[in-house]
Each structure stands twice: as C-alpha cells, then as structure tokens.
C-alpha cells in the first residue's frame, strides 16, 4: 500500500459522500463539514505510515492556494444564488454588517487578543482580520438556495448571511494587509505616510479595482451569455455549467493582475451576471455546477483539517488562545451583530440568528496562510494556526448542530396560516 493509493481511496469515498450526505443530513442537526472533519480526524488516527504530512507551516503555499480556489468558487455560487437586486434599502442589513459589524469585530477581537495573549498589535490584528469575515463555504445550511424566478423570495436571515459572506471575504483583505504593514514597520519605524498609503492604496484603490473589474466582467459575460447575436457566444443556450468557472477565474485573475481584491470582484461579477437576465434558468445550471465543485473542495479541505487536528495540530493551543476563540464566537460576534442591526430591517428572531451565525471557515485559513507567506510575525506560526483552527472547529460543530433546528424554526415562524 502506498500513500497515493490511500489518497485515491479517500478522494473516491469523499466524492461519493459529498453527493449523498447533503440529502441524507437535510433534516438532521448535522452538517457536511462536521462529517468530513470527523472523518479526517478518525482516518488520521489509524496506524498508517503512508498518510501525508499535514503541517500547514511547511506546506503553507499549498494551503493558501487550495483554500483560495475553494473560496472563489463559493463566492461565484453565492452571487448567482441571490435573487434580490442590489440596492441601498434592499441590502440594508448587509451594509450594516459590512460597514459596522466587521470593523468593530476586528477591533474588539484584536484588543482581546492583545490582552489575553500578550500579542503585539500586528499579530493581534492579523488573527482578528483572519477570523472576522463570515464564510461562504461552510454556511450552506443558512445560505440562500438555488436561483429562482422571483426577485425577492429569500428570507432576511439567509439573504443577509449570504450577501455578507460574499462581500466581507474581500473587504477583510485591507486589514490583513494592515497587519503585514504593521509587522514590517516594527523594524523600520512608524510613519504617517505609511498610514495614508494604506488608506489610499489598500482600502480605496484596491477595493475600487475589485468593484469595477467585477462589474465590467459581469456585464461583458452577462451580455455574452444572454444577448450576443452570434449563437456560439450566447452560452445560455448551450447550458454548459462549467462556464461558471470561466467567469470565476476571469474575474479573479484579471483583478489580481491589476492589484485589486479578487474575492470582491468574483462576487460582484456573479451578482452582475445574475442581474443581466435575472429570471433565466441558466443561472441554475451554473449555480449547480459551482455547488458541486464547492462541495468536493470543502470535503477535501475539511478532511485534511480533521487529519491536521489528529496529528496534533492543536498542541500549540493554550487556554488563552482557546478562550479568544470562545469569546469571539459566543460574545463578540453576537453582540456586535445584534447592535449594528438596531433599527434595521431584521427584527426579533431574524436579528438574533444573523448575529449568532457568523460562521468562520475556509477563508480564515486562506488569510492566515497568505499573511504568513508575506511577513514574519512576532508569534509562533503553529500557535496562530492552532487558534484559528480551534475557532473554525468550534464554528463547524456548534453552527452545524444549530443550523437545522434554528432555520426550521425561522421558516415555521414565517409561514402564515392558510385560509380555511
């Protein structure tokens, strides 16, 4: 038996489970991420000498690119699924979560990390920024479903969490870059010029590039898919789902080449393509394809995360690091998420669900891997990986157990009695 044989077997069984489990677990307090994470943990406890090394410090580049691909595909699927047309009022909850909840969460989490763990500002900011964005990959149970013909048929909870996850994965990038700049400046000294460069370049210019490229790519592809006079270009008539990957990587690659935020561009491109012909059934074809690829990648990544934990990935976790994850999970995100929605569109149970279901996941792994490849931070890399992994593990299991009963209760409360 060789290592590659084990990989083949695990990939085959994982792909089969990724197809079967979503339906099998649909009405149970379990989730696909929970199953694959537990499976990876159990397999890597077995006495096999051929299992691969899962050290994210040694294999940082592989972790970065694998998680990067998974996130961008999930962002395309999320953008295609949203039925609600963009607008200031219609997306009011989203703007509150992005403009208020995310910066506040980063600030409070960074302060907590500095106080609990004694980390310098750059390290505390990095972990806070990596853990701040909600995840478009692991939120399947609380995400909007497939595209429909209705302009506005999703409930406020699913819409808010999906749109927030679609946008804040890109908007967390300036804070990660700020952490990198801080740790670099600690050797050269602080400067007002560096602060203004961050505001102008990393916040404004790179975000603008992401938005503009996303809109441009989305409009061009939307015209090509649905309106082109040449039939070969009017791909909606060919019903090829893999075209969604072309849209994903075109938007992402062009934006990154122009030094913009590719995550932001992919989601905006998806929403723009959806808006080109909102009720067309081709959106379902593309969304179904991205959903399948996303499930496969999610299965692989979480299986490996489970194996990493079995191999001692949490050995560097201290009680203070674990407490930071618990505080973010149980206190900071729920409190901030609730407060920013005051006088907003969501009320009562909806507001509570949106505040609580700030799922952490694959995007956090990407940001940490990316930052550790760009600069040397004044904290052991394995401790940072342990804190982030523990927080994601906590989110996977608690949110995975709670998602089905909570959404079922919300769906039941939304139903109006039928006339007799």
């Amino acid at each position: 038996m060789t290592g590659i044989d084990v990989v083949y077997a695990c990939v085959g069984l994982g792909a089969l489970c990724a197809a079967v489990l979503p339906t099998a677990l649909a009405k149970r307090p379990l989730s696909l991420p929970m199953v694959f994470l537990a499976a990876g943990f159990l397999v890597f406890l077995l006495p096999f000498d051929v299992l691969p090394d899962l050290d994210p410090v040694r294999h940082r580049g592989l972790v970065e690119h694998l998680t990067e691909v998974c996130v961008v595909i999930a962002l395309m699927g999320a953008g295609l699924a949203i039925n609600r047309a963009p607008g200031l009022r219609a997306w009011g909850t989203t703007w509150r979560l992005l403009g208020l909840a995310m910066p506040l969460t980063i600030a409070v989490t960074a302060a907590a990390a500095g106080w609990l763990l004694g980390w310098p500002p750059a390290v505390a900011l990095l972990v806070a920024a990596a853990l701040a964005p909600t995840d478009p990959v692991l939120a399947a149970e609380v995400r909007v479903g497939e595209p429909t013909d209705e302009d506005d048929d999703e409930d406020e909870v699913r819409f808010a969490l999906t749109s927030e996850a679609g946008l804040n994965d890109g908007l967390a990038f300036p804070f990660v870059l700020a952490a990198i700049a801080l740790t670099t400046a600690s050797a050269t000294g602080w400067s007002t010029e560096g602060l203004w460069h961050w505001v102008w370049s990393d916040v404004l210019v790179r975000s603008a590039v992401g938005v503009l490229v996303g809109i441009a790519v989305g409009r061009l592809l939307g015209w090509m898919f649905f309106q082109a006079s040449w039939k070969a270009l009017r791909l909606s008539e060919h019903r090829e789902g893999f075209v969604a990957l072309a849209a994903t990587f075109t938007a992402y690659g062009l934006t990154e080449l122009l030094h913009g935020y590719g995550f932001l561009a992919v989601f905006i491109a998806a929403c723009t393509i959806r808006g080109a012909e909102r009720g067309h059934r081709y959106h379902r074809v593309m969304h179904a394809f991205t959903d399948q690829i996303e499930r496969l990648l999610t299965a692989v990544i979480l299986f490996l995360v489970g194996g990493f934990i079995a191999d001692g990935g949490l050995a560097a976790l201290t009680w203070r690091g674990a407490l930071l994850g618990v505080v973010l999970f149980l206190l900071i995100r729920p409190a901030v998420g609730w407060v920013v929605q005051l006088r907003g569109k969501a009320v009562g149970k909806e507001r509570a669900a949106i505040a609580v279901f700030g799922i952490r996941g694959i995007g956090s792994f990407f940001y940490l891997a990316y930052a550790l490849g760009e600069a040397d931070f004044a904290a052991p890399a394995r401790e940072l990986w342990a804190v982030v992994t523990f927080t994601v593990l906590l989110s996977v299991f608690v949110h995975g157990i709670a998602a089905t009963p909570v959404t079922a209760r919300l769906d039941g409360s939304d139903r109006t009695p039928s006339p007799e």
Side-chain angles (χ1 to χ4, degrees), residues 26 225 269 394:
F225 293 168
L394 192 65

Side-chain angles (χ1 to χ4, degrees), residues 22-48:
T23 303
L25 302 177
K27 296 183 179 180
R28 293 175 172 81
L30 290 170
S31 67
L32 194 68
M34 293 170 61
V35 172
F36 281 110
L37 202 152
F41 181 82
L42 293 175
V43 167
F44 276 79
L45 286 179
L46 297 175
F48 292 148

